[in-house]
Amino acid sequence: MHHIAVLPGDGIGPEITREAVKVLKAVGERHQLDLVFSHHLVGGALLDAQGVALTDELVEACRRSDAVLFGAVGGPKWDHLDMPDRVDHALIRLRQELSVYANLRQFRLYAGLEDASAVKSDRIAGGVDFIILRELSSGAYYGQPKFREETPRGRRAVDTIEYFDFQVERLARYGFELARQRRGKLTSMSKWNALESSRLWRDVVEEVAGQNPDVDTRHEIVDAGAMNLIQRPAEYDVIIMPNMFGDILGDEAAVLTGSIGMVPSAEISLDGTSLYEPIHGSANDIEGKGIANPIGMILSAALMLRYSLDCPDGADVIDRAVARVIEDGYRTADIRRSPGQQRVSTSEMGDLVAAKINE
Ligand code: IPM
Ligand code: MG
């Protein structure tokens, strides 16, 4: 039996999460998996109900589960709140509570979505298929000190980019392991020409690279890397980078795939429950309209089958089902570019993927 904590959250979170659960149930039937879902409020939804965006009970419920399926949190309604009460801070804290350290973001351009990619066809002709492995336990998000103060010179705010060698090392090791299962190439991006933490980053990655001579390792300075990634995406296989760079380059890289709504992610825990969520946010402007793309969330559920529930076959089945639905010409609004493509709603897209799984 697998216990899955489902945290739909805010904005389009609930709409897309519903579709991912639908698809997971279809896979469960096909592969005789006994999946037990428990639903919980989080973020703004929990704040409205109980006054806080994350509770100890919720953290415990997640810890007791085998995996967490997470939609999105936040919205204009709660934007006036400051740290640490901000609704998105609930996610930052939940990652910490669950000892998440690596965020595996999977970028793929599905056949048929070339016209939706924001990048010219000659640039994507070599294919888009890479992973950004974002460090998720430290860096600018968690480094101390972190504060605001009034000073004679004006208001002052401080964030700290902090890395210990062991934090870089464990992420790098995971990156090399993934690269070895894929095309054997690892690119490390950091800002080692300007930041001390990035110099440590590069040193540690070099050390780990020495123990992985079979993997082709490269170091890129992140600003140039951000450009190269868009111009020559086929050069990349596994890319590792510090927390904040991974946040930024993740959204940037999404334009290659057609829509940020296509990109899934796994947030791997050191010792227990991992979290699965699409890389996009709550997209409150399209909430409730039935137009959100659930594919990033559905593919996140596939990553859950692969990395937490020991069902790689189920994950492959979802990947193939999504590829076939796109081949058949079905598109949510964000990835539709021509009249020949059949426009479908969020729930229709979920139905189509689930139906392919049952075939
Ligand atoms: C993401 C999001 C979060 C992050 C926000 C909501 C705190 O942008 O998962 O990429 O910055 O990590
Ligand atoms: Mg982000």
Side-chain angles (χ1 to χ4, degrees):
M1 196 187 291
H2 298 292
H3 290 272
I4 301 168
V6 181
L7 280 54
D10 308 319
I12 60 167
E15 304 163 44
I16 56 168
T17 304
R18 204 173 301 131
E19 303 315 311
V21 169
K22 190 187 281 177
V23 171
L24 274 174
K25 284 183 174 159
V27 174
E29 270 167 41
R30 185 182 153 140
H31 290 263
Q32 275 104 46
L33 294 174
D34 194 359
L35 303 177
V36 181
F37 298 93
S38 63
H39 285 72
H40 308 271
L41 298 177
V42 69
L46 185 58
L47 184 92
D48 284 352
Q50 295 187 28
V52 277
L54 184 71
T55 59
D56 293 344
E57 293 75 44
L58 178 55
V59 170
E60 270 319 303
C62 291
R63 285 205 183 111
R64 278 196 308 272
S65 305
D66 296 300
V68 179
L69 194 60
F70 192 98
V73 285
K77 186 177 173 192
W78 307 286
D79 249 355
H80 60 283
L81 296 167
D82 267 328
M83 303 283 201
D85 302 319
R86 280 193 61 81
V87 161
D88 16 36
H89 207 72
L91 174 57
I92 294 175
R93 255 185 56 217
L94 182 62
R95 288 171 178 161
Q96 193 170 35
E97 295 282 359
L98 296 179
S99 307
V100 161
Y101 78 106
N103 182 202
L104 188 166
R105 301 180 150 196
Q106 181 179 277
F107 297 85
R108 251 188 223 156
L109 176 63
Y110 281 85
L113 288 191
E114 294 81 0
D115 61 350
S117 178
V119 179
K120 285 189 187 137
S121 53
D122 58 322
R123 303 250 185 237
I124 52 175
V128 174
D129 181 11
F130 58 82
I131 283 172
I132 290 181
L133 194 64
R134 167 187 176 194
E135 204 289 326
L136 209 52
S137 69
S138 192
Y141 280 60
Y142 298 102
Q144 296 295 333
K146 189 188 251 315
F147 63 89
R148 265 196 198 220
E149 66 179 3
E150 301 282 342
T151 78
R153 289 170 62 197
R155 287 168 296 166
R156 176 171 179 253
V158 172
D159 290 292
T160 303
I161 303 179
E162 177 186 57
Y163 272 109
F164 282 94
D165 53 2
F166 67 88
Q167 294 168 328
V168 183
E169 186 183 332
R170 67 194 178 197
L171 186 87
R173 286 198 188 288
Y174 190 32
F176 280 104
E177 192 186 311
L178 288 171
R180 194 167 295 109
Q181 293 159 15
R182 293 169 50 94
R183 301 193 301 278
K185 198 165 167 187
L186 183 133
T187 308
S188 170
M189 290 194 192
S190 63
K191 188 70 190 173
W192 43 268
N193 54 343
L195 300 178
E196 206 55 64
S197 57
S198 282
R199 297 188 71 78
L200 176 70
W201 180 281
R202 193 185 62 159
D203 289 349
V204 174
V205 173
E206 252 323 275
E207 287 156 25
V208 181
Q211 298 153 16
N212 292 272
D214 54 325
V215 173
D216 172 13
T217 307
R218 260 203 294 170
H219 299 271
E220 286 184 1
I221 301 180
V222 65
D223 51 354
M227 179 174 69
N228 200 41
L229 184 60
I230 296 298
Q231 289 186 318
R232 283 179 282 276
E235 284 183 8
Y236 296 91
D237 183 12
V238 175
I239 314 169
I240 60 173
M241 59 184 89
N243 200 341
M244 192 162 68
F245 298 151
D247 180 43
I248 299 167
L249 268 71
D251 281 26
E252 186 211 14
V255 307
L256 289 160
T257 71
S259 165
I260 195 165
M262 294 296 298
V263 184
S265 90
E267 306 191 346
I268 306 294
S269 162
L270 279 171
D271 50 21
T273 310
S274 296
L275 216 135
Y276 297 84
E277 63 164 325
I279 76 162
H280 62 73
S282 47
N284 304 71
D285 52 327
I286 59 164
E287 173 183 358
K289 296 189 173 155
I291 60 173
N293 184 348
I295 292 179
M297 186 85 216
I298 290 170
L299 293 173
S300 300
L303 292 176
M304 170 185 286
L305 288 164
R306 193 179 302 285
Y307 294 111
S308 283
L309 306 186
D310 197 25
C311 185
D313 294 347
D316 290 341
V317 166
I318 295 181
D319 286 342
R320 273 200 302 276
V322 167
R324 287 184 49 206
V325 168
I326 291 169
E327 267 165 38
D328 290 350
Y330 296 103
R331 304 281 189 275
T332 44
D334 58 320
I335 48 173
R336 183 164 178 266
R337 294 292 180 276
S338 79
Q341 298 164 347
Q342 171 82 29
R343 180 169 172 164
V344 296
S345 68
T346 308
S347 66
E348 285 166 340
M349 182 57 91
D351 288 342
L352 286 161
V353 175
K356 286 274 186 245
I357 281 160
N358 292 324
E359 260 172 27

